[in-house]
Amino acid sequence: MRSGEELDGFEGEASSTSMISGASSPYQPTTEPVSQRRGLAGLRCDPDYLRGALGRLKVAQVILALIAFICIETIMKCSPCEGLYFFEFVSCSAFVVTGVLLIMFSLNLHMRIPQINWNLTDLVNTGLSTFFFFIASIVLAALNHRTGAEISAVIFGFLATAAYAVNTFLAVQKWRVSVRQQSTNDYIRARTESRDVDSRPEIQRLDT
């Protein structure tokens, strides 16, 4: 009986010792929250952006640019071909760049690259696309041979121009709001720093 009691005492001491050592060990098992993980697994679509005016315009621009590019690609003969090549380049470039921006904004990927002014980037893209789509559509309308593919390309080119023009107007307004907000934040930060300096006389004595 005595040996059994001693064994029970030893087991109790061993279990308590292991619990204490486990609690004090720095190598504790940790789990990383799912929300803090980065990479492709953390991508989430932003339905609010896609339902908004800018998101719908982006989707419309991508579709119109793609249809215009497909229409111009179905043309087998051209003379002269400069207007067709220019329209092809504009529609393809607008489709690629706008598609990338749509993915960035709809998946909130632009939030991971705060070094880039995305409002200004969107404004530049929509402004240039409006201008070049308008010029390319006019040139193609003047030099086309009245085939179905050319007429369709011109129509979708002007529709894309209208979509980009509306987006440019909204992007200008959004960029102005962001500039005003940034200037307001800078002013508030400067006022806060000046008040901190005024409330700490030891800093003023060090400066003098």
Side-chain angles (χ1 to χ4, degrees):
M1 293 295 293
R2 185 176 180 180
S3 61
E5 292 177 356
E6 291 178 353
L7 289 175
D8 293 339
F10 287 145
E11 290 178 356
E13 292 177 358
S15 61
S16 62
T17 304
S18 62
M19 291 176 63
I20 295 173
S21 62
S24 60
S25 175
Y27 302 102
Q28 295 294 326
T30 58
T31 56
E32 182 182 1
V34 178
S35 60
Q36 293 180 357
R37 294 178 183 175
R38 294 186 178 182
L40 297 178
L43 295 181
R44 293 292 183 273
C45 181
D46 187 5
D48 294 333
Y49 175 78
L50 296 177
R51 295 193 193 102
L54 292 177
R56 292 180 180 180
L57 284 172
K58 278 285 182 295
V59 174
Q61 291 161 11
V62 171
I63 295 175
L64 292 174
L66 178 60
I67 295 176
F69 178 73
I70 293 175
C71 291
I72 207 68
E73 285 296 311
T74 59
I75 300 175
M76 305 304 297
K77 296 181 181 180
C78 61
S79 178
C81 298
E82 288 77 8
L84 187 146
Y85 294 154
F86 181 62
F87 189 92
E88 180 183 13
F89 172 76
V90 171
S91 59
C92 181
S93 301
F95 168 73
V96 172
V97 176
T98 307
V100 171
L101 290 176
L102 176 61
I103 294 174
M104 296 290 290
F105 291 143
S106 61
L107 297 179
N108 286 328
L109 293 175
H110 65 290
M111 301 296 292
R112 302 187 180 185
I113 313 176
Q115 296 82 4
I116 300 177
N117 190 337
W118 292 103
N119 293 330
L120 183 59
T121 302
D122 186 34
L123 174 60
V124 172
N125 172 65
T126 53
L128 291 178
S129 298
T130 302
F131 175 75
F132 285 111
F133 245 127
F134 182 69
I135 299 299
S137 299
I138 291 179
V139 172
L140 185 63
L143 300 178
N144 73 81
H145 298 82
R146 300 184 183 279
T147 62
E150 290 176 328
I151 295 175
S152 299
V154 170
I155 293 175
F156 283 105
F158 281 116
L159 290 176
T161 302
Y164 277 108
V166 175
N167 197 352
T168 302
F169 175 75
L170 296 179
V172 169
Q173 290 185 334
K174 187 176 181 179
W175 177 71
R176 288 180 177 177
V177 170
S178 64
V179 169
R180 292 175 183 174
Q181 184 176 4
Q182 182 64 31
S183 61
T184 302
N185 294 335
D186 293 340
Y187 174 76
I188 294 175
R189 189 182 301 110
R191 293 278 297 179
T192 304
E193 292 176 355
S194 63
R195 289 177 181 176
D196 292 339
V197 172
D198 294 337
S199 61
R200 298 175 63 183
E202 64 274 8
I203 298 180
Q204 298 178 359
R205 287 197 297 267
L206 289 176
D207 295 338
T208 57

